Amino acid sequence: MPSKKDTINSENFRDYSSADKNTLIANEKKLYTDIVENGVFEFFANSFLVECSDSSQLGEITFARLTSERKEQYRMATRFTKQNTVEKKPLTKMCEQTHVKQMLKNVDLIKQAGIKIAEYRVDDGILVSSYIQKPILEDVIMEALKENNADEIYRLIDQVYREILQSSEQVSWKDNILYTLGLEIEENEEAFGPILKVGFLDMSFRNSFYCDGEILWFDQEWVLEAVPAKFILYYALTLLYYSYPQLEQCCPSPDVIKRYHMENAYEAFKEFQELFGYLVADEAQVVTGGTFLIDGTVDYISNVKKLMK
């Protein structure tokens, strides 16, 4: 839930090109970020949207995002409105009957653990919450990065991990979900640490506000049973470092892994994360994305060289 100033929601931005990648000449994610921050997006936009409806809500939506790449039971739309509300609308009946109910249950479970979380009300099957104009924890970390303040970044990561540990009671180390998925992972109590009865996978730096030194969570969709607390932290850190690789300059990922004693669990966590992604994503979307997704700078450097000749 970002601020209302000019910004670009690029957390899941993907560069796409033709299958043979002969048309790409720039890193579009970086390009669009600069264009938006300089207030000239409308000038450079190569397409437009015409909104036509007989509904009284015409023009009331200020931001919209779809998760259509997910399987049917998980597809949702997120909408910001001019009434300063945020709506989570299920895109399928199956999602409304299962995933939405789970999200409401997650709010109650997190509250019972004594952790602050933004609440929803249900309006005609849509989850509605107030727009909260507070900094996202991810952005607070980026401000600390600008100052090269590693101590502050680690302090914030520590704070997140404390709340992950607080979010659920613990179960026996032998109940670890990683041992039950056929991944051939060796049982090791010391490597995986505390096992949470219920783990909230969206306890990430992107799904939390930072308000006067306290964390306020939101959009807690995914829940796993008997999951290592360190995996929840690993998942959050993976998203953070994927979006902001410049963090490596201040807080190198090997140092972070060592700080939270993940050395012996890292490969297992990586394998488990990939498995979870396939459980959630629609198979057709995965195949299409693999065909047209751009990988690093290699795909467009050769095209730029051709244009310079």
Side-chain angles (χ1 to χ4, degrees), residues 110-153:
I110 290 174
K111 283 173 57 182
Q112 291 172 20
I115 295 175
K116 293 187 175 181
I117 182 170
E119 296 192 51
Y120 297 106
R121 71 175 189 273
V122 182
D123 185 358
D124 194 24
I126 299 173
L127 300 179
V128 182
S129 63
S130 299
Y131 184 94
I132 300 173
Q133 199 155 1
K134 294 289 185 179
I136 298 293
L137 182 54
E138 190 174 79
D139 294 336
V140 176
I141 289 177
M142 289 303 101
E143 288 300 317
L145 178 62
K146 290 179 182 178
E147 300 174 1
N148 202 35
N149 191 343
D151 289 341
E152 176 65 3
I153 294 173

Side-chain angles (χ1 to χ4, degrees), residues 237-279:
L237 289 167
T238 299
L239 293 175
L240 184 67
Y241 275 74
Y242 175 80
S243 300
Y244 303 99
Q246 61 268 37
L247 272 166
E248 294 283 1
Q249 302 168 13
C250 183
C251 302
S253 52
D255 293 350
V256 177
I257 292 170
K258 185 175 181 180
R259 178 185 178 92
Y260 296 100
H261 309 292
M262 297 183 187
E263 302 97 319
N264 296 326
Y266 182 83
E267 290 301 323
F269 286 168
K270 183 178 179 181
E271 191 174 357
F272 183 38
Q273 181 184 21
E274 292 175 353
L275 175 63
F276 178 79
Y278 280 106
L279 292 174

